[in-house]
PDB file of all heavy atoms in Angstrom:
ATOM      1  N   PRO K 351      71.700  -3.823  43.487  1.00  0.00           N
ATOM      2  CA  PRO K 351      71.730  -4.894  44.491  1.00  0.00           C
ATOM      3  C   PRO K 351      70.938  -6.138  44.087  1.00  0.00           C
ATOM      4  O   PRO K 351      71.299  -7.246  44.469  1.00  0.00           O
ATOM      5  CB  PRO K 351      71.100  -4.248  45.732  1.00  0.00           C
ATOM      6  CG  PRO K 351      71.282  -2.791  45.546  1.00  0.00           C
ATOM      7  CD  PRO K 351      71.240  -2.559  44.063  1.00  0.00           C
ATOM      8  N   THR K 352      69.880  -5.966  43.274  1.00  0.00           N
ATOM      9  CA  THR K 352      69.078  -7.122  42.883  1.00  0.00           C
ATOM     10  C   THR K 352      69.832  -8.061  41.945  1.00  0.00           C
ATOM     11  O   THR K 352      69.440  -9.209  41.782  1.00  0.00           O
ATOM     12  CB  THR K 352      67.763  -6.691  42.209  1.00  0.00           C
ATOM     13  OG1 THR K 352      68.065  -5.942  41.020  1.00  0.00           O
ATOM     14  CG2 THR K 352      66.924  -5.833  43.142  1.00  0.00           C
ATOM     15  N   GLU K 353      70.912  -7.574  41.343  1.00  0.00           N
ATOM     16  CA  GLU K 353      71.688  -8.400  40.421  1.00  0.00           C
ATOM     17  C   GLU K 353      72.950  -8.983  41.055  1.00  0.00           C
ATOM     18  O   GLU K 353      73.762  -9.608  40.380  1.00  0.00           O
ATOM     19  CB  GLU K 353      72.058  -7.584  39.181  1.00  0.00           C
ATOM     20  CG  GLU K 353      70.841  -7.170  38.373  1.00  0.00           C
ATOM     21  CD  GLU K 353      71.190  -6.317  37.172  1.00  0.00           C
ATOM     22  OE1 GLU K 353      72.385  -6.098  36.908  1.00  0.00           O
ATOM     23  OE2 GLU K 353      70.251  -5.852  36.500  1.00  0.00           O
ATOM     24  N   LEU K 354      73.106  -8.779  42.356  1.00  0.00           N
ATOM     25  CA  LEU K 354      74.292  -9.288  43.043  1.00  0.00           C
ATOM     26  C   LEU K 354      74.158 -10.784  43.304  1.00  0.00           C
ATOM     27  O   LEU K 354      73.080 -11.282  43.623  1.00  0.00           O
ATOM     28  CB  LEU K 354      74.495  -8.566  44.380  1.00  0.00           C
ATOM     29  CG  LEU K 354      74.818  -7.082  44.306  1.00  0.00           C
ATOM     30  CD1 LEU K 354      74.882  -6.488  45.705  1.00  0.00           C
ATOM     31  CD2 LEU K 354      76.138  -6.854  43.590  1.00  0.00           C
ATOM     32  N   HIS K 355      75.245 -11.470  43.159  1.00  0.00           N
ATOM     33  CA  HIS K 355      75.303 -12.899  43.463  1.00  0.00           C
ATOM     34  C   HIS K 355      76.445 -13.114  44.445  1.00  0.00           C
ATOM     35  O   HIS K 355      77.463 -13.706  44.117  1.00  0.00           O
ATOM     36  CB  HIS K 355      75.514 -13.718  42.183  1.00  0.00           C
ATOM     37  CG  HIS K 355      74.467 -13.458  41.153  1.00  0.00           C
ATOM     38  ND1 HIS K 355      73.171 -13.889  41.296  1.00  0.00           N
ATOM     39  CD2 HIS K 355      74.505 -12.778  39.980  1.00  0.00           C
ATOM     40  CE1 HIS K 355      72.458 -13.507  40.249  1.00  0.00           C
ATOM     41  NE2 HIS K 355      73.249 -12.817  39.444  1.00  0.00           N
ATOM     42  N   ALA K 356      76.255 -12.610  45.662  1.00  0.00           N
ATOM     43  CA  ALA K 356      77.330 -12.635  46.658  1.00  0.00           C
ATOM     44  C   ALA K 356      77.218 -13.820  47.604  1.00  0.00           C
ATOM     45  O   ALA K 356      77.986 -13.929  48.549  1.00  0.00           O
ATOM     46  CB  ALA K 356      77.335 -11.333  47.442  1.00  0.00           C
ATOM     47  N   GLU K 357      76.256 -14.698  47.352  1.00  0.00           N
ATOM     48  CA  GLU K 357      76.113 -15.946  48.111  1.00  0.00           C
ATOM     49  C   GLU K 357      76.038 -15.710  49.619  1.00  0.00           C
ATOM     50  O   GLU K 357      76.671 -16.396  50.403  1.00  0.00           O
ATOM     51  CB  GLU K 357      77.241 -16.905  47.754  1.00  0.00           C
ATOM     52  CG  GLU K 357      77.187 -17.317  46.295  1.00  0.00           C
ATOM     53  CD  GLU K 357      78.543 -17.696  45.717  1.00  0.00           C
ATOM     54  OE1 GLU K 357      79.524 -17.787  46.481  1.00  0.00           O
ATOM     55  OE2 GLU K 357      78.601 -17.880  44.506  1.00  0.00           O
ATOM     56  N   GLY K 358      75.262 -14.716  50.027  1.00  0.00           N
ATOM     57  CA  GLY K 358      75.040 -14.485  51.442  1.00  0.00           C
ATOM     58  C   GLY K 358      76.066 -13.612  52.137  1.00  0.00           C
ATOM     59  O   GLY K 358      75.940 -13.344  53.324  1.00  0.00           O
ATOM     60  N   ARG K 359      77.079 -13.164  51.419  1.00  0.00           N
ATOM     61  CA  ARG K 359      78.081 -12.283  52.017  1.00  0.00           C
ATOM     62  C   ARG K 359      77.599 -10.837  51.967  1.00  0.00           C
ATOM     63  O   ARG K 359      76.858 -10.437  51.077  1.00  0.00           O
ATOM     64  CB  ARG K 359      79.409 -12.389  51.268  1.00  0.00           C
ATOM     65  CG  ARG K 359      80.171 -13.663  51.545  1.00  0.00           C
ATOM     66  CD  ARG K 359      81.581 -13.664  50.954  1.00  0.00           C
ATOM     67  NE  ARG K 359      81.769 -12.862  49.758  1.00  0.00           N
ATOM     68  CZ  ARG K 359      81.509 -13.272  48.511  1.00  0.00           C
ATOM     69  NH1 ARG K 359      81.035 -14.475  48.303  1.00  0.00           N
ATOM     70  NH2 ARG K 359      81.740 -12.482  47.488  1.00  0.00           N
ATOM     71  N   VAL K 360      78.050 -10.052  52.919  1.00  0.00           N
ATOM     72  CA  VAL K 360      77.740  -8.621  52.942  1.00  0.00           C
ATOM     73  C   VAL K 360      78.674  -7.932  51.952  1.00  0.00           C
ATOM     74  O   VAL K 360      79.902  -8.036  52.068  1.00  0.00           O
ATOM     75  CB  VAL K 360      77.920  -8.024  54.354  1.00  0.00           C
ATOM     76  CG1 VAL K 360      77.645  -6.520  54.335  1.00  0.00           C
ATOM     77  CG2 VAL K 360      77.016  -8.720  55.354  1.00  0.00           C
ATOM     78  N   VAL K 361      78.075  -7.260  50.966  1.00  0.00           N
ATOM     79  CA  VAL K 361      78.817  -6.513  49.954  1.00  0.00           C
ATOM     80  C   VAL K 361      78.129  -5.166  49.767  1.00  0.00           C
ATOM     81  O   VAL K 361      77.050  -4.926  50.323  1.00  0.00           O
ATOM     82  CB  VAL K 361      78.868  -7.273  48.610  1.00  0.00           C
ATOM     83  CG1 VAL K 361      79.670  -8.560  48.728  1.00  0.00           C
ATOM     84  CG2 VAL K 361      77.467  -7.555  48.090  1.00  0.00           C
ATOM     85  N   PHE K 362      78.726  -4.300  48.963  1.00  0.00           N
ATOM     86  CA  PHE K 362      78.118  -3.015  48.660  1.00  0.00           C
ATOM     87  C   PHE K 362      76.719  -3.249  48.095  1.00  0.00           C
ATOM     88  O   PHE K 362      76.513  -4.090  47.231  1.00  0.00           O
ATOM     89  CB  PHE K 362      78.955  -2.235  47.639  1.00  0.00           C
ATOM     90  CG  PHE K 362      78.350  -0.904  47.295  1.00  0.00           C
ATOM     91  CD1 PHE K 362      78.656   0.210  48.042  1.00  0.00           C
ATOM     92  CD2 PHE K 362      77.465  -0.773  46.240  1.00  0.00           C
ATOM     93  CE1 PHE K 362      78.086   1.438  47.744  1.00  0.00           C
ATOM     94  CE2 PHE K 362      76.890   0.445  45.932  1.00  0.00           C
ATOM     95  CZ  PHE K 362      77.210   1.552  46.693  1.00  0.00           C
TER      96      PHE K 362
END
Side-chain angles (χ1 to χ4, degrees):
T352 61
E353 295 178 4
L354 295 176
H355 304 289
E357 297 153 8
R359 286 188 331 275
V360 178
V361 294
F362 180 88

